[in-house]
Amino acid sequence: MEYIGATGKPISFNDIPIREGIDFHFILGFAIDSDAKGTSQNGKFSTYWASTITRDSISTLKSQHPNVKVLASLSGWSMGTKVLHWYAPQNQELWISNAVSSLQTIIQTYHLDGLDIDYEKFDNSNQTFAYCIGEVISRLKNQNAISVATIAPFYNTTLPYIDLYKRYGNVIDYVNHQFYTDKVKTPNTYFQDFELRAKQFQVEKVLPSYEVNGRGIQGDAFFEAMRLIQRNGYNISGVMIFSADASMSNQYYYEQKIQDFLLNSTSTP
């Protein structure tokens, strides 16, 4: 899984290496229930990913690579300099109805396969989060509008995501935990962090993650951490990368290396 389009840089799917024999999920950053000024729209989502990511480019990508799925990520950290918050809707059912309707339109327009949930700021208003988001995912899946749903917690948002997962884990396919925010930089500490997140969620759904040229563990140490996880009896179902935008500068080196690692891993189905 790889995030793409969040920085606004002009980026093309054509440049990104995609191996056969592996499920490759692109996660578009971001669809936001706010207007262009960051004002909340009560569940009415709009798209804010790079303008080069179009309906036609996604259609072409999927026709060339049947192993590709494309998801819309909801919210993210900020819109420009404005930090985005989960807010408690006054009418939860109206928020859910608006979200389902607006997301259906986006899904149909862009030929999307699923959603990634990436709300990152709660301000003690997370009581409605699990129900609202869980119901949106459930209803879109029940309508066959989406086939995959992921969540993207990090150290500071673990509790609301654990609540969401406990109540709606049956409709959540993967947990894209942002390990790079946990400030672990060695294989041993990464493994310990993975064990913690595996206990908090469902181990087979937790994907290790890597931030290109960013925070947390970097370079070969990441792959040693993956091997350490495997040596301790865990299967690695996949890896989440943040992000393709950053990888433009190094010719997608880690996309290639991570796919090769997964394809050559005896622990990967």
Side-chain angles (χ1 to χ4, degrees):
M1 293 195 176
E2 176 154 42
Y3 285 83
I4 185 172
T7 64
K9 294 180 180 178
I11 189 167
S12 171
F13 293 115
N14 296 333
D15 298 329
I16 302 168
I18 300 171
R19 302 282 196 261
E20 294 182 1
I22 195 168
D23 293 330
F24 199 123
H25 292 18
F26 283 103
I27 304 176
L28 308 183
F30 291 90
I32 306 172
D33 58 333
S34 300
D35 63 16
K37 295 181 180 179
T39 304
S40 299
Q41 296 294 289
N42 200 28
K44 297 177 182 178
F45 284 83
S46 301
T47 60
Y48 292 95
W49 46 72
S51 60
T52 49
I53 297 176
T54 64
R55 170 190 176 96
D56 289 343
S57 68
I58 293 173
S59 180
T60 300
L61 167 72
K62 293 171 70 173
S63 67
Q64 293 174 342
H65 299 283
N67 55 325
V68 165
K69 290 185 178 180
V70 183
L71 289 65
S73 186
L74 305 190
S75 186
W77 175 256
S78 66
M79 181 184 293
T81 59
K82 184 176 178 60
V83 176
L84 299 168
H85 301 246
W86 172 262
Y87 57 94
Q90 292 184 352
N91 184 328
Q92 295 181 63
E93 295 303 326
L94 178 59
W95 189 94
I96 292 167
S97 177
N98 288 340
V100 169
S101 177
S102 61
L103 289 170
Q104 281 177 326
T105 299
I106 292 170
I107 289 162
Q108 293 168 0
T109 299
Y110 285 91
H111 307 295
L112 303 183
D113 302 282
L115 296 179
D116 171 70
I117 309 304
D118 189 28
Y119 281 89
E120 300 192 1
K121 186 75 172 176
F122 288 92
D123 292 345
N124 299 318
S125 60
N126 63 343
Q127 294 85 355
T128 59
F129 176 70
Y131 176 69
C132 288
I133 293 297
E135 284 300 307
V136 168
I137 295 172
S138 297
R139 295 180 195 189
L140 288 172
K141 278 202 166 186
N142 288 340
Q143 296 168 10
N144 295 317
I146 60 173
S147 60
V148 60
T150 67
I151 59 175
F154 71 104
Y155 70 91
N156 207 31
T157 62
T158 305
L159 291 180
Y161 279 94
I162 287 175
D163 185 26
L164 170 62
Y165 191 83
K166 283 182 176 178
R167 295 167 65 177
Y168 291 93
N170 61 313
V171 294
I172 294 169
D173 299 286
Y174 297 101
V175 179
N176 291 325
H177 182 78
Q178 300 177 48
F179 285 96
Y180 41 82
T181 68
D182 289 352
K183 300 180 181 179
V184 294
K185 296 189 176 183
T186 68
N188 283 334
T189 53
Y190 196 105
F191 168 66
Q192 293 167 9
D193 197 15
F194 179 86
E195 279 202 309
L196 171 62
R197 306 310 173 187
K199 292 174 183 176
Q200 292 173 329
F201 298 97
Q202 197 169 342
V203 60
E204 61 268 24
K205 294 185 179 182
V206 176
L207 302 188
S209 62
Y210 184 80
E211 183 174 37
V212 177
N213 301 329
R215 297 160 291 179
I217 200 166
Q218 291 288 296
D220 290 341
F222 173 75
F223 296 95
E224 179 54 35
M226 298 303 96
R227 288 187 285 268
L228 185 59
I229 290 169
Q230 291 176 325
R231 288 198 297 269
N232 279 273
Y234 294 100
N235 289 340
I236 296 177
S237 301
V239 173
M240 180 267 276
I241 307 173
F242 189 87
S243 66
D245 300 44
S247 287
M248 293 172 68
S249 63
N250 61 21
Q251 292 74 54
Y252 304 100
Y253 172 82
Y254 286 102
E255 284 75 2
Q256 298 178 67
K257 192 165 184 176
I258 287 172
Q259 287 180 86
D260 289 342
F261 175 87
L262 292 171
L263 287 168
N264 293 326
S265 170
T266 57
S267 298
T268 304

